[in-house]
Structure formats: structure tokens, C-alpha cells
Amino acid sequence: MLNLSEKLVAPLLDWYDQGARILPWRSQPTPYRVWVSEIMLQQTRVEAVKPYFERFISALPDIEALANAEEEILLKLWEGLGYYNRVRNLQKAAKMVQSQGDGELPRSPEALQKLPGIGPYTAGAIASIAYGVAVPAVDGNVLRVIARLQASEESISHPAVKRRVQQQLEEIIPLERAGDFNQALMELGATVCLPNGAPDCEHCPVRRYCEGYDKGIAAFLPVKEQKKKRREEKRTVFLLLHQDQVALAKRPPEGLLAGLWEFPSCEGWMSAARAEQYWKEKGARVQSVEEIGNAKHIFSHIEWQMRGYVLRLEDPLEDYQWVNREQRQSQYALPSAFVAFSRWLDKQE
Ligand code: SF4
């Protein structure tokens, strides 16, 4: 396996200079904007992130605003992006930054990594892009590009491989353009050296240095270990309606979708008769029950297979938040796991 070469750096930067994508966080790459964008991008595609980023930054333009934002507003701004711990950690970190130092994000990757939600990759991205610190930012995209460039058949899931790539990049990262170099590698991984199958080698600025291309094995790289199969969980979701309102419940403070609003649900699939009985036992006066179909949602380790029922009630049950359409859409952040049921409601009203 070859070492990464400094020869790669110039063609990669030239290519980046000529055609870098215009992205909202790239204009004015302040530490705050880079940080918010990198957290949003952790589990979400660039195109999907763009409108969320604009909305988030205009509502919460700086660390102070983020630290002081009410939780419901914060969650509403994140609604649809999923993985809500990301935004909760953003706020925790903003509060720490406000209370500890000069109110600015730290500059060093080590100090950045002490903040909630910031790992080595995000710390590298913020330090290099916003502050120009010569430190790599190594994520799955970068590992894929490097594995192909080096024709490496080692698993990129191994921490030792990641450490070695980090070291190799530290040796070649240009001191004057560290942020651009990291972004160029990310850009190459996102637009040319694509995941899941054939990379677009014909348009690659570093093809002549690419061992994977040379050996004809790039499309088969990188090697990854098999992921564990997701656990499947059946759930029944209830849209409890009373007049123009629907019932929302708050999820427990710990675990999956912690503390978020949801339509009441329970484990397992129920028949319509069982669903009616279930709510009668809770004291509901049920007027009608209607099955509205199934939906699926995939989390990182669990897949929910949901069956939905609409129950019309004569009176609202206590212990639930009863909201009308306008309140549900403007004030309550419902996780995207429930989007099929929200849409069903939207169509009815
Ligand atoms: Fe990736 Fe192909 Fe470029 Fe190699 S030549 S880095 S495999 S796009």
C-alpha cells in the first residue's frame, strides 16, 4: 500500500477551486455556522440540510441565541432532521461555551472535543474550516476516498485504520489551506468518489495517483464489516381524535426519541377490536375505530413497523396534550417516524 503523496494536494485543491459547490454554510464560514452545518450533516444529505440550516441560522443566529432558545422552539427547528440528540447536544455545548469562556467556540480540536456532540471529525472540520488549524477531518467519506486511493482492502471500520489515515493526512495537509483541503476531500467523496458502487473516476482530479483505479478494484472498495441486523419492533399507533383536536403524548426522558412528542403508541400490533378495548380500559368513550394502514421507520438499530388506528372519542382523555391542526404544525415537533400519520391527518382536516 502506498503512502498518501503530497502530489495529490495540488490537483485536489485546483479542482476544488474551480468547481466547489455553493453551500449556504460556505459563505461566511464562522465557527458557529460551520459547527451547526456539520452537526446537521452528520446523518443527513446536503440537499436536505440546506433549508434547515438557513431556517436555524436565521432563528438562532449565534451561540447566545442557541444557548437561550426554548426547547420546543429548538425541536421545532430540527423537526424532520431526526436524531434529536444532535440538537440537544448543540444546545448543551452552547450553554457550556457561554458559561465557561469568552462565549466563542474553542479553536483547538482537543478543546472542541470536550463539548457534547463534537467528536474527532467535527472538531477537525470546525478547527480547520473556521480557524485554519492544520488538522484533518476524517469521516466515512474520507476513509472511502483514501481506501480507494491506496487500494487498501483493510476494513475501514477498524479504529487502527482510521488512526493511520488521520496520521497520513496530518503529514500532507497544507498549512495555508487546511480547511479547503478537508472540504475538497469531502467534496470528492460526495460528488465523484461516490459510495455504494462505481465511483465516477473519469471526472476525478486525482485519478492518475489512484491505486484503486489503476488496479481496477475501486468500485469494490472500501471493505466494511457486516453491520448487525436491525431489530424489528411492531408498534400500534393511535390517532385519538376529539372534535378538531388530536392527542399527543410526551415520550419518556430517556431512550429512543427521548422527551419528544408523539401520537400515543404501544408495542405490538393490535386488531381494531383490541385497540378499542385498550382505550376503553383507559376510560375513553370510543365512538368509532378505523384502521388507517401501516408505516415503517428505520432508526440506526431498530426498525419500527407501525399499524395505525384512528379512534374518535366523545370526550378528550386527561393526561394527553390535545392540539388542533395549526398548533400541531406550528408548535409541536413530531419525529419523522410519525410522518405517515401526520400526513393522514393533514389530508382529513
Ligand atoms: Fe475515487 Fe476513482 Fe478518483 Fe480513485 S480515481 S479517488 S476511485 S473517483
Side-chain angles (χ1 to χ4, degrees):
M1 189 173 61
L2 293 179
N3 277 335
L4 281 181
S5 159
E6 276 184 40
K7 283 188 285 190
L8 284 171
V9 176
L12 192 58
L13 284 173
D14 283 350
W15 169 79
Y16 183 71
D17 289 341
Q18 283 163 30
R21 286 175 297 176
I22 295 167
L23 302 174
W25 45 91
R26 282 187 176 160
S27 63
Q28 306 169 46
T30 63
Y32 178 65
R33 289 167 62 92
V34 174
W35 178 34
V36 170
S37 69
E38 287 296 338
I39 299 295
M40 285 185 172
L41 288 164
Q42 277 172 7
Q43 315 274 357
T44 314
R45 288 176 304 105
V46 164
E47 285 308 313
V49 162
K50 282 181 187 172
Y52 282 96
F53 177 81
E54 307 267 25
R55 204 164 52 121
F56 194 95
I57 291 291
S58 76
L60 307 173
D62 52 33
I63 293 180
E64 188 181 356
L66 170 59
N68 296 327
E70 283 177 26
E71 188 185 37
E72 288 302 338
I73 291 175
L74 201 61
L75 297 178
K76 193 71 196 162
L77 287 167
W78 208 263
E79 185 183 21
L81 278 173
Y83 301 94
Y84 285 83
N85 273 348
R86 291 184 292 169
V87 71
R88 290 208 166 100
N89 280 333
L90 260 179
Q91 189 175 48
K92 270 191 218 159
K95 286 182 174 168
M96 283 171 68
V97 169
Q98 284 283 294
S99 66
Q100 285 170 4
D102 54 4
E104 298 289 335
L105 270 182
R107 180 186 163 87
S108 83
E110 295 75 21
L112 283 163
Q113 281 184 66
K114 292 191 178 135
L115 295 170
I118 299 187
Y121 164 78
T122 308
I126 297 169
S128 63
I129 299 169
Y131 292 117
V133 178
V135 60
V138 180
D139 68 350
N141 274 315
V142 170
L143 286 170
R144 176 179 66 255
V145 173
I146 303 299
R148 287 171 173 170
L149 280 167
Q150 300 185 318
S152 167
E153 293 180 40
E154 289 177 297
S155 166
I156 59 167
S157 316
H158 284 163
V161 171
K162 190 169 174 182
R163 276 198 299 277
R164 197 187 55 236
V165 169
Q166 176 93 14
Q167 272 172 4
Q168 291 175 327
L169 289 173
E170 277 167 13
E171 286 167 18
I172 62 167
I173 190 166
L175 297 181
E176 299 303 317
R177 298 197 60 191
D180 287 344
F181 176 73
N182 284 338
Q183 290 187 93
L185 265 182
M186 294 173 201
E187 186 99 344
L188 191 71
T191 62
V192 178
C193 197
L194 300 162
N196 306 324
D200 183 11
C201 301
E202 297 313 310
H203 297 102
C204 180
V206 292
R207 190 179 63 198
R208 59 188 288 221
Y209 306 109
C210 182
E211 289 284 299
Y213 174 77
D214 201 38
K215 293 181 176 169
I217 59 171
F220 307 106
L221 299 174
V223 172
K224 284 193 222 161
E225 265 151 39
Q226 283 288 314
K227 282 194 185 157
K228 279 195 206 150
K229 201 172 176 313
R230 282 194 191 92
R231 181 162 60 83
E232 292 174 358
E233 190 176 302
K234 290 185 168 59
R235 297 192 72 79
T236 305
V237 176
F238 305 100
L239 302 183
L240 303 179
L241 304 183
H242 172 67
Q243 295 172 354
D244 67 341
Q245 296 185 313
V246 66
L248 300 181
K250 200 151 209 182
R251 290 184 59 80
E254 302 291 331
L256 191 66
L257 306 177
L260 297 176
W261 292 101
E262 67 169 357
F263 299 119
S265 67
C266 65
E267 275 190 43
W269 278 356
M270 287 184 188
S271 65
R274 177 72 195 102
E276 181 171 358
Q277 185 62 25
Y278 176 83
W279 285 101
K280 280 185 173 167
E281 285 165 11
K282 288 178 176 288
R285 295 205 295 153
V286 179
Q287 290 173 328
S288 65
V289 183
E290 180 191 346
E291 185 174 342
I292 52 168
N294 294 348
K296 185 165 84 172
H297 189 77
I298 295 173
F299 299 93
S300 50
H301 299 101
I302 302 180
E303 177 178 316
W304 274 2
Q305 297 172 348
M306 295 170 282
R307 173 173 294 174
Y309 289 100
V310 170
L311 287 90
R312 290 189 169 75
L313 308 186
E314 287 190 25
D315 331 282
L317 272 179
E318 285 182 13
D319 300 333
Y320 294 93
Q321 192 80 5
W322 290 86
V323 299
N324 62 26
R325 176 190 182 130
E326 198 276 325
Q327 291 166 322
R328 174 169 57 83
Q329 291 177 341
S330 64
Q331 295 170 28
Y332 291 83
L334 278 166
S336 49
F338 298 103
V339 71
F341 302 108
S342 295
R343 283 198 189 125
W344 186 91
L345 272 180
D346 292 343
K347 279 190 205 147
Q348 309 305 308
E349 291 168 332

